[in-house]
Amino acid sequence: MFTLKPPVLSYRFNALMTALIGWLTFSGHSLASEVEHHQFFSPTLGYDYPYSIYLPDNYDDQATDAYPVVYMLHGSFGTDRDWVSRGNLQQVADRLIRAGHIPPTVFIMPGSRSWWVDGHNEPARSAFFNDLMPHVEATYRVGQERHLRGVAGLSAGGYGALNFALERPELFAAVAALSPASYAPLPPRNSTAWRHPSFINDQGQFDRELWQNLNYTSYLEEYRLRVTPRGTEEEGDLSPVPLYISAGRSDVYDAEFHARILRQAMERIQPNDVRLDLYPGGHTWRVWRASLPAALNFLFQYVGQENSSEMEMNMAVDE
């Protein structure tokens, strides 16, 4: 008896459709996060403040528990879109969240015309603390406690993130500085700091005094006093802000050298809360993309976790 066989084409078509549906399903899941671009009027700046935001898969504005929030600062002459368009932040965050390495998190990527300082061109530091953070916390379901906040940045953004954490350690659970432009005592001559409007005074010259007053070295002593146990109820009740540093070994700005100096300075204050990773490459997105997963994994050893000193205080009260 002769039996008709389905044409080979139908098998191929079904296989193709199955593969296509699977790809669409996987792609839809992997790209379920959202990146949006917004701006709001900043009273400090006197004009609109731009920022990009990463919202995790199934972000719920009415969630019972607040989401952790990490502020990601761009580099010199950068924009709020750099971390997504060049740094692969969305893909990396999606992957780490899906694997369970970090919790669903909101990432805020602000834009600034400055090096995240109150410089000669704009009060970027004041706008960050006085306008951006309150706007974010009023608009999105993010935590308003220290243990739910982190801050990170690359190059000039690493300079800014480090300064923010040292100046306001009560606000951040951890900080990551990728190839931070935290040069001491002055930036190398090929650094854009020498021509950036933030540090150019009315005479058109680089303001050395402003740089030194705003660099991390000027915050170290006060930071040390705030996070070092003093044996009294009034002082020393704030735990250090753990610091992740990365740099490329062939960085044209000698970022590895300055990163080692930074690590030494911070290890004198918090010897168990500093990590330095070195990567092949220069002052490039290749290095920053490579170090981003490690930086986020480091941050989330602390972000989203109850502060140890707070836990100890609560245990003492319970006893």
Side-chain angles (χ1 to χ4, degrees), residues 77-116:
F77 295 109
T79 76
D80 63 291
R81 303 181 183 229
D82 287 354
W83 274 109
V84 172
S85 65
R86 307 180 70 183
N88 291 349
L89 183 133
Q90 184 175 18
Q91 293 90 329
V92 171
D94 284 348
R95 186 175 73 247
L96 293 179
I97 292 172
R98 190 164 54 244
H101 295 312
I102 69 174
T105 298
V106 172
F107 290 90
I108 303 294
M109 296 156 276
S112 173
R113 302 176 188 176
S114 181
W115 272 49
W116 310 100

Side-chain angles (χ1 to χ4, degrees), residues 57-297:
D57 183 18
N58 294 321
Y59 167 79
D60 182 3
D61 198 46
Q62 305 300 319
T64 302
D65 296 326
Y67 291 85
V69 59
V70 176
Y71 294 87
M72 306 289 295
L73 311 185
H74 62 70
S76 180
F77 295 109
T79 76
D80 63 291
R81 303 181 183 229
D82 287 354
W83 274 109
V84 172
S85 65
R86 307 180 70 183
N88 291 349
L89 183 133
Q90 184 175 18
Q91 293 90 329
V92 171
D94 284 348
R95 186 175 73 247
L96 293 179
I97 292 172
R98 190 164 54 244
H101 295 312
I102 69 174
T105 298
V106 172
F107 290 90
I108 303 294
M109 296 156 276
S112 173
R113 302 176 188 176
S114 181
W115 272 49
W116 310 100
V117 298
D118 288 350
H120 287 290
N121 64 333
E122 72 170 15
R125 170 209 159 274
S126 295
F128 179 90
F129 289 119
N130 298 339
D131 299 343
L132 177 68
M133 288 184 61
H135 169 81
V136 167
E137 293 175 359
T139 307
Y140 303 99
R141 187 71 176 100
V142 299
Q144 300 182 28
E145 300 84 18
R146 182 198 196 201
H147 75 277
L148 290 175
R149 288 197 206 96
V151 62
L154 65 90
S155 191
Y159 169 100
L162 176 62
N163 289 348
F164 287 174
L166 295 180
E167 181 190 359
R168 301 293 302 275
E170 77 279 6
L171 294 181
F172 303 105
V175 54
L178 283 55
S179 305
S182 302
Y183 312 121
L186 291 171
R189 280 292 180 175
N190 57 343
S191 170
T192 61
W194 289 90
R195 65 178 188 272
H196 199 284
S198 302
F199 300 106
I200 301 301
N201 60 26
D202 294 338
Q203 290 73 44
Q205 302 296 318
F206 176 76
D207 193 333
R208 295 170 179 247
E209 183 178 359
L210 181 66
W211 173 272
Q212 293 174 342
N213 289 340
L214 300 181
N215 201 8
Y216 77 94
T217 50
S218 66
Y219 297 110
L220 286 176
E221 180 59 15
E222 183 175 352
Y223 172 79
R224 182 187 70 83
L225 292 174
R226 294 194 65 187
V227 303
T228 301
R230 312 301 296 173
T232 68
E233 295 182 359
E234 294 79 15
E235 298 181 278
D237 61 348
L238 187 65
S239 59
V241 184
L243 169 63
Y244 174 89
I245 316 167
S246 70
R249 288 189 174 275
S250 55
D251 192 297
V252 295
Y253 307 112
D254 291 331
E256 178 183 349
F257 171 79
H258 290 283
R260 290 183 183 277
I261 297 299
L262 169 61
R263 180 182 65 177
Q264 291 174 5
M266 293 298 293
E267 283 183 338
R268 286 195 288 268
I269 299 173
Q270 50 191 59
N272 300 316
D273 291 313
V274 184
R275 171 177 160 184
L276 171 61
D277 287 346
L278 299 175
Y279 292 83
H283 204 79
T284 66
W285 279 102
R286 180 180 177 182
V287 168
W288 302 325
R289 285 192 294 266
S291 58
L292 180 59
L296 294 183
N297 278 317

